[in-house]
């Protein structure tokens, strides 16, 4: 196993840097509750050093060809794959997610993003528009300095999903990981620089919300990309508006997963498990409102309980384990609070929702039935391993109920009736829809929310538009006339 202790708190201008005058932040391994490291929150001096480094490096980076920039990102992708095991162990130390997951879902997903945007970098262009005898051309330009602010559930992936398109487009980035998971982004920075990224282009600073807030409102900053909760999103969006900064907001959700009577039962149960219990339920796009049509409900609940009984809960570093602890005591307390509310409001807890008698932040997979649309557990994002089953009769009814939420991150449909599946996803108010699957998020697919789940898209070619802007150039070849 690797030693998870970070070399230093921050990574600025191509090197680790420490400043112990900042507030200490303990790094806690969620599986045991032990302190495994300590970082210090960025002081104003550290923040200014990071922004100054980004400011100095960005024009030189932007002047390189896209192919040259892309080559470095693709080299970083190869290095991430070569170091997949140690990066996965670090992700497990940071988050508590089982190694069985982190080996296939974190550094690998980060590498995919670096490879994909590295490949795209050389093809980023403006366009030519013939306009009679005249013509217009557009120049695709970087935005400048981008700030990335991360959540704690996918620290390696979030760091790379923001770095890759930002750097491909010729920007510099200052990234602030979540204070709960400060380790992985430092490794992403280290690898990018080992791959040849010039100093100053990807800087990592640690800290709580106040550090994020200071970055968002700094005059040097041109764009902010946040992955976080809706309340934080509201604050960050408002602060960014002050300086007319571009934003990408990847926020929370309360997504519906709809299972029709004609669904293939085992696949639907797999979908519900993936939509609720992967990463101990701490995934923004989770389908936590599981609408099950009346006819299939008894069989669905029976198989769900049977299969949850086979979950291997335990040491996340054991590759047999497929269900780990929650990320923190605080997050477990929040989930337990929702479970208590669910019971108090009349839902039936059919399994799980209990702590394990061991150190660390363990909460077993919980399933509620008899959940109604107005209950707190059906309305608010829990961000924990809590699945709610809601019963429905008709397609029109479930569609209206599924859309009756302020969020709109994802939605899923299980049915063998394909016309119905397509009809449903056309009408579902969500940024990502799944048919007979759930939570796949390849870099090729745009990812982001509608309604209160966010603004903008990560991944895919769509992300390019959120990290670059177009300059129009009008070129006159026809005679120029003026009124006097
Ligand atoms: P959070 O909102 O508490 O924190 C997110 C980040 O914002 C942290 O780095 C935090 O330090 C920072 N922050 C807090 N206040 C700030 C402020 N005023 N200004 C600037 N930065 C500030 O979220 P969390 O608990 O870390 O993560 C869980 C949330 O993230 C859930 O709501 C989840 O749905 C969401 N999430 C969304 C996606 C997505 O892609 N849509 C992915 C993962 C998580």
């Amino acid at each position: 196993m690797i030693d998870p202790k970070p070399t230093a708190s921050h990574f600025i201008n191509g090197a680790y840097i420490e400043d112990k005058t900042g507030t200490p932040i303990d790094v806690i391994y969620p599986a045991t509750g032990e302190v495994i490291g300590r970082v210090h929150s960025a002081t104003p001096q550290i923040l200014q050093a990071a922004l100054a480094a980004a400011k100095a490096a960005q024009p030189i980076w932007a002047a390189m060809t896209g192919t040259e920039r892309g080559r470095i990102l693709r080299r970083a992708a190869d290095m991430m794959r070569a170091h997949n095991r140690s990066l996965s162990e670090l992700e497990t130390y940071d988050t508590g997610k089982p190694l069985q997951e982190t080996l296939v879902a974190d550094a690998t997903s980060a590498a995919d993003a670096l490879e994909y945007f590295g490949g795209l970098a050389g093809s980023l262009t403006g366009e030519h528009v013939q306009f009679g005898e005249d013509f217009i051309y557009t120049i695709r330009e970087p935005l400048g300095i981008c700030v990335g602010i991360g959540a704690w559930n996918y620290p390696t992936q979030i760091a790379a999903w923001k770095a890759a398109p930002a750097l491909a487009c010729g920007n510099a980035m200052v990234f602030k990981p979540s204070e709960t998971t400060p380790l992985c982004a430092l490794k992403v920075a280290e690898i990018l620089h080992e791959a040849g990224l010039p100093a100053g282009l990807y800087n990592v600073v640690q800290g709580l919300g106040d550090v994020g807030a200071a970055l968002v409102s700094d005059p040097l900053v041109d764009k902010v990309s946040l992955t976080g909760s809706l309340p934080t999103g509201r604050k960050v969006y408002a602060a960014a508006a002050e300086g007319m900064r571009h934003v990408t907001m990847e926020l929370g959700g309360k997504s519906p997963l709809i299972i029709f009577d004609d669904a293939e039962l085992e696949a639907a149960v797999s979908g519900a498990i993936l939509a609720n219990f992967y990463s101990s339920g701490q995934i923004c796009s989770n389908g936590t409102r599981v609408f099950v049509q009346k006819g299939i409900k008894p069989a669905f609940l029976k198989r769900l309980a049977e299969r949850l009984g086979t979950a291997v809960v335990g040491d996340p570093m054991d590759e047999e384990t497929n269900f780990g602890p929650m990320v923190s005591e605080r997050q477990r307390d929040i989930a337990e609070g929702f479970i208590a509310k669910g019971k108090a409001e009349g839902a039936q807890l059919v399994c799980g929702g209990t702590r394990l008698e061991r150190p660390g932040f363990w909460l077993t997979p919980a399933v509620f039935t008899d959940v109604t649309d107005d209950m707190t557990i059906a309305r608010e994002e829990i961000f924990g391993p809590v699945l709610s089953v809601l019963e429905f009769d008709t397609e029109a009814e479930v569609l209206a109920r599924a859309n009756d939420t302020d969020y709109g991150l994802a939605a899923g449909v299980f049915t063998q009736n394909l016309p119905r599946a397509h009809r449903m996803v056309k009408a579902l108010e969500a940024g990502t829809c799944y048919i007979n699957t759930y939570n796949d998020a390849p870099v090729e697919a745009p990812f982001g929310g509608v309604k209160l789940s966010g603004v903008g898209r990560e991944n895919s070619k769509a992300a390019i538009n959120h990290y670059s802007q177009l300059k129009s150039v009008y070129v006159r070849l026809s005679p120029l006339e003026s009124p006097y």
Side-chain angles (χ1 to χ4, degrees), residues 202-347:
Y202 187 74
N203 308 282
V204 176
V205 295
Q206 306 291 349
L208 280 72
D210 59 326
V211 170
L215 283 172
V216 172
S217 53
D218 192 284
L220 285 177
V221 171
D222 301 289
K223 189 224 157 91
V224 181
S225 175
L226 168 77
T227 300
S229 62
L230 173 60
T232 304
R234 285 196 165 109
K235 286 186 217 159
V236 171
Y237 201 172
E242 194 64 28
M244 286 297 159
R245 297 181 183 97
H246 298 249
V247 294
T248 299
M249 294 282 143
E250 291 290 355
L251 308 177
K254 192 69 198 174
S255 301
L257 169 60
I258 301 166
I259 296 168
F260 284 96
D261 278 348
D262 67 355
E264 211 262 286
L265 181 65
E266 287 305 313
V269 173
S270 297
I273 290 171
L274 290 171
N276 283 276
F277 300 123
Y278 202 71
S279 302
S280 297
Q282 302 163 119
I283 298 184
C284 50
S285 48
N286 270 358
T288 50
R289 290 183 294 145
V290 182
F291 290 96
V292 184
Q293 206 166 13
K294 218 179 209 161
I296 200 175
K297 194 173 138 196
F300 173 84
L301 284 175
K302 181 167 175 285
R303 277 306 284 151
L304 181 63
E306 284 167 2
R307 288 182 50 186
L308 284 179
T310 69
V312 183
V313 186
D315 177 7
M317 292 295 179
D318 178 346
E319 282 182 52
E320 293 302 309
T321 297
N322 51 29
F323 188 87
M326 296 194 66
V327 76
S328 64
E329 187 168 14
R330 179 174 173 268
Q331 199 59 31
R332 183 182 59 185
D333 288 351
I334 291 172
E336 283 181 335
F338 278 107
I339 290 171
K341 265 201 184 132
K343 289 186 201 162
E345 291 176 13

